[in-house]
Amino acid sequence: MSNLNRSLRAAAVALTVGFASLAARAADTMDNAYWNMPKGVTDVSHEVFALHMAAFWVCVVIGVVVFGVMFYSVFAHRRSKHPVPATFHHSTLVEIIWTAIPFVILIGLAVPAAGTLIKEYDTRNADMTIKITGYQWKWQYEYVGENVSFFSTLEKRANEARQLHSGIDPKTVPNYLHDVDNYLVLPVGKKVRFLLTSNDVIHGWWMPDLAIKKDAIPGFINEMWTKINEPGIYRGQCTVLCGRDHGFMPIVVEAKSEADYAAWLEKMKGGETVAAATTTASDAVVDSAQPAAVEAPVEAAPVEVAAAPAAAVDKDDLMKAGAKVYAANCQVCHQADGTGLPPSFPSLVGGKVVTGPIDAHITQVLKGKNAMPPFPQLSDADVAAVVTYERNAFGNKVGDAAQAGQVAKLR
Ligand code: HEC
Ligand SMILES: [Cu+2]
């Protein structure tokens, strides 16, 4: 008997020690587990993570206690042991306890959570402000007071790969559907306030590593803020189902040191875009009195543009390039054969703009019109190509061709 007692006690001790070390190991893994919520890189995101873990462990303890009592009762009071059931009912003490304990737990969770919420909503005393506007299907970032503003769209290679029958294996595209052409660049250690709105439907701006997520609603301005602790690249997504390309408007934040950020901002004020350098090319052309004679800084331009020099491009080449630009950017609405989806998305076959003056056609692509979004992120060469393509494909036979220089002047 005492032997049995001793081994039982030993087993209990072993279990306790085992459980404690397991719990410590579990807590450690949970901190960085890819399937858990990310810990993030801001003070607020760390608080959010701590709250999340606290609630989680409370749930684990409750689960263990409740199921423990249940399994114990099922086992200890089984019928073969106690054929005659007890007849007591109602225990005021037990009822008070099982009301008081959850009450204490809930208050214990609510107090720190409210503190974090209040912090999250406090957008005062920001060092800088960025206005974010959602579009179907891209984001616009305006650095308020800095005169810097750009669009951020799905990275080009991913956009090609996602097309039906593209023949490109998405696995070969780095950060497939999680990369954009122009990153939202932010300084570390600065309180950044965001003003969030939308130009068409409701979108959602979500950046898990910064623990911020809010809806972008047309006609409303929502506020949020962040203060990033670590330089790096952070990825997020639109989180409100905003139409057919909802899954193709990712968000990328690049946090830079203050000095690097300042240098980046200076460069942007000089008119360069983050990745494509397309505006540099067009600015160079605009600044010149004789656009055709000027060589665009080809080495700074993306590969596709480099293939198209500033001098007149052959119409066949424009048509070939235009078909690709069309498939990647326009086909979702205007369809592969140009017939669109009337009445929402008009047919381009014999369209008024498509068969009208070419300048108006180019302008509509650059600036958009009503439900047609603007495409300022396309390079001059790409716009020239797609406009030429639309005018001479789908049975249209306008016959003329657009050139990059012409597009630059209309930007
Ligand atoms: C989100 C859907 C959408 C996408 C993507 C889109 N368009 Fe449109 N497009 C429209 C709508 C809507 C109109 C009608 C605008 C209006 O007149 O109110 C339109 C009209 C046009 C017209 C005028 C048609 C005519 O002749 O009357 C042209 C040209 C055009 N789009 C070109 C393009 C090009 C080039 C692209 C790609 C770079 C593109 N569109 C991408 C929705 C879209
Ligand atoms: Cu969206």
Side-chain angles (χ1 to χ4, degrees), residues 38 115 132 140 142 155 176 203 240 325 360 398:
I132 305 176
Q140 184 184 20
E142 289 170 63
E155 180 267 327
Y176 181 60
H203 300 270
V240 171
V325 179
V398 187

Side-chain angles (χ1 to χ4, degrees), residues 197-199 217-221:
T197 188
S198 167
N199 192 53
I217 307 170
F220 285 79
I221 293 183

